[in-house]
Amino acid sequence: MREKIATWMGVFLLAGAITLSAQPIGVPLRFDRYYDYDQLVEALKALHEAFPQMTTLDLVGTSEENRAIYAITISNPETGDHLSKPGVYVDGNIHGNEIQAGEVCLYLANMLLTRYGENDKITSLVDENSFYILPSVNVDGRYHFFKDANTPSSNRGLRRPKDDDHDGLFDEDPPDDLDGDGNICDMRKKDPNGNYKSDPYDPRLMVRVDPGEKGEWTLLGREGIDNDGDGRINEDAEGYVDPNRNWGVNWQPNYVQRGAGYYPFSGTGIKAIAEYMLARPNITVVWAFHNSGGMYLRGPSTKNAGEFPQGDIEVYDYLGKNSEKITPGYQYLVIWKDLYSTYGDSNEWANHMLGCYSLVGELFQSESETFAENADQPKPGSPGSGSGKSDARHQRLQFNDHVAMGELYKPWEPYDHPLYGEIEIGGWVKMSSRLPHPFMLQDLVHRNASAVIFSAEQTPRVNLEIFDKDEIGKDLYRIRVRLTNPHALPTMSYMSLKDNLLRKDLLTVSGSSVRVVAGGELQDPYMDKASYKQYKPEIQFIQVPGFGKVEYEFLLSGKGKVRIDYSSVKAVDQSLEINL
Ligand SMILES: [Ca+2]
Ligand SMILES: [Ca+2]
Ligand SMILES: [Ca+2]
Ligand SMILES: [Ca+2]
Ligand SMILES: [Zn+2]
């Protein structure tokens, strides 16, 4: 009888768990929850099925463990093929533990599709741009982060086995979930000679003992045992190839850049994503979302890469400083200068290989987990005030207790360890520290999707006009053409011009009964100063700057129809006709 009840209860609990995870995913998507890998794929399919005309769902490639990497394209076919419009590429979760980056991508896709036709700004953005959204780069990482026991920071890399301690065995000693709660927490042992004592304000925390003072605790690192009996604990976990150090620009081997992999694009999914991006040369803006810290980052990623051309810095500053305002608390920074150097990251690759403007969003600030009247100024005598500054650790624990219902922190509990004997296991759980609690997720995804939308509003939009036409001789005409761009991004980045990376924009004059005698850029229309191109004046190689214009002058001989075409890799082509 007792056995039977136990079985029923098991079935009941299991059924409860299955129902929860098997809840059908409907459009509009919900953002009071996190999507594991399977649910994320289901969410993308649901968006595609709800908006089949406006979307394509592309299988970009597969991962080391053969999981599908999907991207969703959002583009209105009635305003042109997706390749004919500026592309905005957004991805997330290249690091397996950086989960909410995927939710930002899903939220953006969900907002663009569900509000199209209802919100004017979103309608014109979708009509004028193509969005390529790839919510989870590191699909194996996402899968294992949810499924396996982890710390908030573990399980970042690709599933390519690597022998970290050079003992001939691969990934043989990862951390172990000793207490079976699904988290890798911390281990501590009572020890009068330890370096730590309990924090008087909150005994769950520990502080260092003062010189000469008696200790209470020794910290023993992350939960685990010596799996291979080599005298070390947790010395060879899964991987490690870092998918964001595996790209083919400014790549350096492991002894310079940890996690680089043996060669660029050794990650199968990473290589597939690079090929997907290269096949879309219209991509003009790239966003890659990570966690954490609350930052909007631009390159260069290393000092030796050299600073960007001034024209590009102005564009980045415009995007970055406005993004800062969209998400209060986030800072716009330069990767190598303000953070650290990274060799072979996707951001640098996108700049140099696609000629686009590329930003990294580091999502979430643990400072947002507050429990205080005024987070910056603790009252005298309150926890942490002894050190003269607010102790964020106390506040975060109070936040856990009273706002997150205790879901972010595991209280210390005794455990009998095979090597250390009686210890305690406790600390911050997997779904803490770098991710907002789901109740705060909506704010994070909306603001960061809004930063993407701000930059999408700045993709180049060229307007072509003839502003002057004069008959200056018998069947000889002078026409002047103006190309304006009211948005911040130029039609070609200054770096791509400097590196001669892309085909330049073409301004072409043609007509069956008209010959182009001369043509070139008009420097001063009042002084009649123009620099004529020596050969083939009917084709001009140009760039249209952001928030600016360029003017060209042509001398035409003949009569009849003349056609003027503007063609660009990044911006929408334009053309017009006049009669001479
Ligand atoms: Ca090993
Ligand atoms: Ca390893
Ligand atoms: Ca555990
Ligand atoms: Ca070991
Ligand atoms: Zn990251």
Side-chain angles (χ1 to χ4, degrees):
M1 191 62 202
R2 188 176 288 165
E3 264 183 53
K4 213 164 203 178
I5 289 170
T7 315
W8 286 344
M9 280 187 63
V11 169
F12 176 73
L13 287 172
L14 191 65
I18 289 169
T19 315
L20 200 68
S21 62
Q23 266 181 351
I25 290 171
V27 175
L29 302 176
R30 284 171 53 178
F31 292 91
D32 56 352
R33 50 160 300 170
Y34 286 104
Y35 293 82
D36 68 21
Y37 168 73
D38 291 321
Q39 293 165 342
L40 182 139
V41 171
E42 201 183 325
L44 282 173
K45 288 181 175 167
L47 284 173
H48 174 53
E49 277 158 28
F51 301 96
Q53 270 83 49
M54 298 287 278
T55 62
T56 53
L57 191 59
D58 296 308
L59 177 61
V60 175
T62 51
S63 65
E64 277 67 23
E65 292 185 350
N66 223 24
R67 282 189 186 85
I69 301 167
Y70 284 108
I72 190 166
T73 301
I74 299 175
S75 176
N76 180 2
E78 287 172 17
T79 59
D81 182 75
H82 70 96
L83 292 169
S84 71
K85 295 171 270 189
V88 178
Y89 170 91
V90 187
D91 76 27
N93 197 196
I94 195 170
H95 291 129
N97 62 321
E98 296 173 354
I99 294 307
Q100 79 270 45
E103 271 73 14
V104 170
C105 293
L106 285 181
Y107 185 88
L108 175 68
N110 181 75
M111 175 158 69
L112 293 174
L113 290 167
T114 59
R115 308 221 56 205
Y116 180 84
E118 170 197 309
N119 176 289
D120 290 345
K121 179 188 261 207
I122 285 174
T123 306
S124 55
L125 267 184
V126 172
D127 284 343
E128 293 173 7
N129 297 283
S130 302
F131 288 86
Y132 306 107
I133 302 175
L134 197 155
S136 182
V137 172
N138 187 352
V139 287
D140 296 338
R142 192 175 189 90
Y143 174 84
H144 285 285
F145 186 75
F146 280 91
K147 185 176 161 287
D148 304 344
N150 275 296
T151 76
S153 303
S154 63
N155 188 68
R156 296 169 62 75
L158 299 177
R159 292 277 154 169
R160 298 188 85 83
K162 188 161 180 296
D163 177 11
D164 296 308
D165 61 336
H166 303 295
D167 65 349
L169 302 170
F170 288 72
D171 304 351
E172 75 285 357
D173 193 346
D176 307 273
D177 183 12
L178 299 176
D179 58 1
D181 72 337
N183 300 295
I184 301 296
C185 288
D186 298 316
M187 305 190 291
R188 70 178 187 181
K189 186 173 173 65
K190 268 248 182 277
D191 179 1
N193 299 310
N195 290 327
Y196 288 86
K197 61 178 183 180
S198 295
D199 184 326
Y201 296 108
D202 193 326
R204 290 173 291 183
L205 296 173
M206 287 160 285
V207 290
R208 275 191 170 276
V209 294
D210 291 326
E213 199 182 7
K214 220 169 166 36
E216 275 178 88
W217 301 104
T218 286
L219 304 189
L220 299 167
R222 299 295 196 193
E223 217 177 315
I225 56 171
D226 181 7
N227 302 75
D228 59 343
D230 70 345
R232 287 188 290 170
I233 291 181
N234 304 344
E235 79 281 359
D236 194 347
E238 95 291 335
Y240 184 80
V241 174
D242 185 331
N244 203 32
R245 305 290 184 273
N246 192 232
W247 295 68
V249 166
N250 208 6
W251 180 91
Q252 290 289 332
N254 203 59
Y255 55 82
V256 176
Q257 175 60 68
R258 180 174 178 264
Y262 294 122
Y263 50 89
F265 296 120
S266 54
T268 55
I270 299 305
K271 178 164 180 279
I273 292 168
E275 285 166 354
Y276 172 88
M277 293 172 82
L278 286 172
R280 286 155 184 77
N282 57 317
I283 292 175
T284 307
V285 172
V286 168
W287 277 89
F289 284 101
H290 294 242
N291 75 30
S292 62
M295 295 177 277
Y296 293 122
L297 306 173
R298 72 156 170 97
S301 303
T302 60
K303 189 179 184 181
N304 67 3
E307 183 52 292
F308 291 154
Q310 185 56 30
D312 288 339
I313 294 174
E314 284 167 19
V315 172
Y316 277 110
D317 287 354
Y318 187 75
L319 300 180
K321 286 174 182 169
N322 279 289
S323 297
E324 273 184 340
K325 291 174 194 160
I326 290 169
T327 316
Y330 281 38
Q331 279 185 288
Y332 163 58
L333 300 169
V334 178
I335 293 172
W336 78 265
K337 212 187 289 178
D338 301 316
L339 219 57
Y340 42 69
S341 291
T342 55
Y343 295 90
D345 66 21
S346 68
N347 178 73
E348 198 88 273
W349 183 87
N351 285 330
H352 284 277
M353 295 305 290
L354 286 176
C356 60
Y357 291 94
S358 173
L359 289 157
V360 170
E362 291 282 357
L363 304 164
F364 185 66
Q365 297 185 295
S366 60
E367 297 92 317
S368 63
E369 297 185 333
T370 55
F371 188 80
E373 287 173 37
N374 184 335
D376 297 328
Q377 293 167 334
K379 284 184 184 155
S382 68
S385 63
S387 61
K389 62 179 168 51
S390 173
D391 194 330
R393 300 187 313 158
H394 296 111
Q395 274 200 29
R396 286 186 60 217
L397 273 179
Q398 296 289 313
F399 173 91
N400 166 69
D401 297 345
H402 304 299
V403 188
M405 307 305 143
E407 291 175 352
L408 304 180
Y409 188 88
K410 183 185 166 60
W412 295 97
E413 276 172 27
Y415 183 82
D416 188 13
H417 193 275
L419 181 69
Y420 298 128
E422 267 182 42
I423 62 160
E424 291 186 358
I425 293 173
W428 295 99
V429 304
K430 172 170 79 175
M431 297 301 281
S432 76
S433 306
R434 300 170 69 112
L435 306 166
H437 188 278
F439 90 88
M440 293 168 84
L441 180 61
Q442 178 90 21
D443 183 82
L444 180 146
V445 294
H446 183 84
R447 286 186 187 274
N448 283 282
S450 301
V452 173
I453 282 176
F454 183 88
S455 60
E457 286 183 273
Q458 300 306 327
T459 56
R461 187 87 51 242
V462 171
N463 184 36
L464 174 66
E465 60 173 332
I466 294 172
F467 68 99
D468 202 10
K469 186 185 117 183
D470 261 338
E471 189 166 8
I472 55 173
K474 174 95 178 85
D475 287 343
L476 186 64
Y477 295 86
R478 187 191 72 189
I479 61 165
R480 287 173 167 178
V481 177
R482 182 182 293 142
L483 299 106
T484 50
N485 172 15
H487 294 173
L489 267 61
T491 57
M492 300 182 71
S493 75
Y494 292 88
M495 182 192 286
S496 70
L497 284 175
K498 188 176 75 133
D499 296 347
N500 209 7
L501 177 69
L502 304 168
R503 191 208 81 191
K504 281 191 182 162
D505 296 353
L506 303 179
L507 181 64
T508 317
V509 179
S510 59
S512 57
S513 54
V514 170
R515 192 169 63 87
V516 179
V517 179
E521 190 173 359
L522 183 61
Q523 268 106 19
D524 189 332
Y526 306 106
M527 304 289 282
D528 247 337
K529 261 167 65 182
S531 56
Y532 288 157
K533 184 164 166 262
Q534 192 171 3
Y535 301 106
K536 283 188 172 270
E538 64 274 19
I539 301 175
Q540 302 285 331
F541 302 108
I542 75 169
Q543 176 227 30
V544 187
F547 293 139
K549 65 166 169 46
V550 284
E551 292 170 341
Y552 281 78
E553 176 173 292
F554 296 94
L555 301 185
L556 311 172
S557 103
K559 269 219 160 310
K561 267 208 175 81
V562 176
R563 193 184 149 92
I564 298 166
D565 289 291
Y566 165 76
S567 151
S568 170
V569 177
K570 305 285 187 192
V572 176
D573 293 352
Q574 307 287 330
S575 60
L576 47 82
E577 276 187 355
I578 51 159
N579 267 307
L580 295 181

